[in-house]
């Protein structure tokens, strides 16, 4: 079920969701979106992270900042233990505690459309990890005044990130990508531009001048998804946004998002989200009531 209920429920209830030193493994790491902003910190393992049209090869100490509404997926291997920390939060959670100038500077960290990559040195990592652990500990205790403490700790983390970016100019440009990764980036770009149209692998292959079988192989190798499954996941994530924010009929959304039939749309939606489009819209409306 690609619904990310814990994240969205926590953000709607409190405005923040955090996990420190997480080492659990999922059978399937879904392509997804969620509400709010995310600070993701990679500690151990072997993984890449697809955000929008970028592929980030991760090394211990790497941090990604991005908008949760940008489609994303981590692709770790089981060869080594995968450990990460992350905090999701809403802008409203911080806005009331910061003046306009400070708020604007901290939010500028999340403006990169395909995620901002920051690399922390081994000497800096202990302090960074301490912030995530302190935020999780305070969130779990829920003691008197914990919401204020959560905001304060999160602000301290974001200020530390902002100082590093400005002091060392560590907005890391895209590292040199392998031939396969560059081709996958082109495929992702094509999908993001054409996902509302019905297109075949043969058409994609022809438009990008890539061998179809090579194209499918390198996409699966880099992202962990087949091209067709990624396209469907992209369409479903967009459908979720439209179901939450518009009253457009289901049949219209089906056609708008490139599904061949309403039956295909409903089956794909329920398979990935766990409920039908109609039920999802009702649940979304209920949560806003």
């Amino acid at each position: 079920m690609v619904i990310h209920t814990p994240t969205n429920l926590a953000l709607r209830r409190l405005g923040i969701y955090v996990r420190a030193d997480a080492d659990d493994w999922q059978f399937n790491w879904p392509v997804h979106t969620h509400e709010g902003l995310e600070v993701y910190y990679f500690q151990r393992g072997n993984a890449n992270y697809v955000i929008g049209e970028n592929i980030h090869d991760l090394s211990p100490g790497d941090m990604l900042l991005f908008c949760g509404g940008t489609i994303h997926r981590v692709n770790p291997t089981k060869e080594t233990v995968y450990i990460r920390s992350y905090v999701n939060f809403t802008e409203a959670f911080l806005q009331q505690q910061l003046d306009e100038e400070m708020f604007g500077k901290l939010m500028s960290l999340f403006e990169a459309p395909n995620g901002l990559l920051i690399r922390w040195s081994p000497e800096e990592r202990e302090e960074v990890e301490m912030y995530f652990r302190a935020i999780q500990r305070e969130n779990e205790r829920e003691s008197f005044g914990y919401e204020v403490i959560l905001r304060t700790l999160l602000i301290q983390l974001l200020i530390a990130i902002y100082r590093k970016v400005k002091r060392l100019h560590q907005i890391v440009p895209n590292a040199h990508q392998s031939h396969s990764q560059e081709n996958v980036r082109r495929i992702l770009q094509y999908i993001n531009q054409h996902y509302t149209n019905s297109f075949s692998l043969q058409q994609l292959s022809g438009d990008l001048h890539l061998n179809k079988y090579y194209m499918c192989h390198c996409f699966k190798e880099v992202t962990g998804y087949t091209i067709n499954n990624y396209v469907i996941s992209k369409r479903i994530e967009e459908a979720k946004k439209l179901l939450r924010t518009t009253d457009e009929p289901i049949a219209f959304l089906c056609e708008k998002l490139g599904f061949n039939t309403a039956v295909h749309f409903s089956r794909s939606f329920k398979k990935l989200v766990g409920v039908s489009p109609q039920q999802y819209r009702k649940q979304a409306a209920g949560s806003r009531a």
Side-chain angles (χ1 to χ4, degrees):
M1 184 188 306
V2 189
I3 198 167
H4 280 256
T5 301
T7 303
N8 286 338
L9 287 181
L11 292 180
R12 293 169 192 170
R13 181 180 68 87
L14 184 60
I16 189 169
Y17 178 67
V18 61
R19 293 195 67 197
D21 305 313
D23 62 358
D24 55 302
W25 181 264
Q26 298 181 36
F27 177 73
N28 178 44
W29 300 89
V31 173
H32 66 283
T33 60
H34 51 71
E35 298 170 16
L37 305 171
E38 180 161 340
V39 180
Y40 168 92
Y41 177 67
F42 180 68
Q43 293 163 256
R44 182 180 173 189
N46 184 9
N48 61 49
Y49 211 122
V50 177
I51 303 177
E53 297 171 3
N54 269 8
I55 304 151
H56 302 275
D57 276 324
L58 299 176
S59 299
D62 282 0
M63 177 179 282
L64 291 165
L65 287 78
F66 56 93
C67 174
T70 302
I71 193 166
H72 53 280
R73 180 186 191 262
V74 68
N75 185 31
T77 69
K78 295 194 72 173
E79 297 168 1
T80 57
V81 177
Y82 169 48
I83 301 177
R84 70 281 185 195
S85 298
Y86 54 90
V87 58
N88 306 99
F89 64 96
T90 63
E91 294 185 24
F93 181 73
L94 290 184
Q95 195 165 14
Q96 58 187 293
Q97 198 155 325
L98 296 169
D99 63 42
E100 186 176 347
E101 181 181 5
M102 175 71 78
F103 179 75
K105 287 181 176 179
L106 296 185
M107 292 304 99
S108 70
L109 295 169
F110 299 88
E111 290 177 350
N114 298 303
L116 170 64
L117 171 64
I118 298 171
R119 294 200 155 121
W120 298 91
S121 69
E123 297 76 24
E124 296 170 316
R125 292 174 199 168
E126 183 177 351
E127 180 181 358
V128 171
E129 291 164 16
M130 177 194 71
Y131 281 119
F132 285 102
R133 291 166 188 152
I135 294 170
Q136 177 166 300
R137 187 165 56 247
E138 193 65 35
N139 192 49
E140 289 174 345
R141 288 175 178 171
E142 295 191 357
S143 300
F144 171 75
Y146 80 103
E147 294 182 21
V148 176
I149 301 298
L150 285 174
R151 290 189 182 93
T152 302
L153 289 169
L154 178 56
I155 289 169
Q156 289 177 357
L157 172 61
L158 294 176
I159 288 174
I161 296 168
Y162 188 86
R163 286 176 174 175
K164 180 176 176 65
V165 168
K166 293 304 178 183
R167 183 179 69 248
L168 300 179
H169 306 287
Q170 294 255 349
I171 298 180
V172 180
N174 286 339
H176 177 71
Q177 294 186 323
S178 68
H179 187 62
S180 292
Q181 288 179 332
E182 177 57 28
N183 283 327
V184 171
R185 187 193 64 77
R186 292 175 60 210
I187 296 168
L188 289 169
Q189 188 175 50
Y190 186 98
I191 291 172
N192 288 337
Q193 292 173 351
H194 299 89
Y195 71 91
T196 57
N197 303 321
S198 180
F199 60 87
S200 66
L201 291 177
Q202 193 66 44
Q203 180 182 341
L204 175 60
S205 170
D207 288 348
L208 296 182
H209 306 290
L210 293 171
N211 176 275
K212 185 173 75 170
Y213 300 102
Y214 164 79
M215 178 183 73
C216 293
H217 171 75
C218 69
F219 192 89
K220 178 68 183 295
E221 183 179 49
V222 171
T223 70
Y225 261 53
T226 66
I227 293 174
N228 283 333
N229 284 344
Y230 190 91
V231 171
I232 290 172
S233 295
K234 169 71 175 175
R235 289 171 175 166
I236 295 301
E237 288 300 320
E238 294 301 319
K240 287 162 63 178
K241 292 180 188 177
L242 293 172
L243 288 167
R244 291 195 305 266
T245 59
T246 75
D247 295 322
E248 293 175 340
I250 304 295
F252 177 77
L253 295 183
C254 164
E255 182 177 350
K256 182 177 183 178
L257 293 170
F259 286 95
N260 293 326
T261 66
V263 172
H264 182 212
F265 172 53
S266 294
R267 285 178 177 170
S268 299
F269 193 97
K270 188 166 185 178
K271 180 179 179 181
L272 289 177
V273 183
V275 295
S276 69
Q278 294 87 344
Q279 290 172 309
Y280 183 85
R281 174 169 271 168
K282 287 179 182 178
Q283 291 175 358
S287 68
R288 294 193 300 266

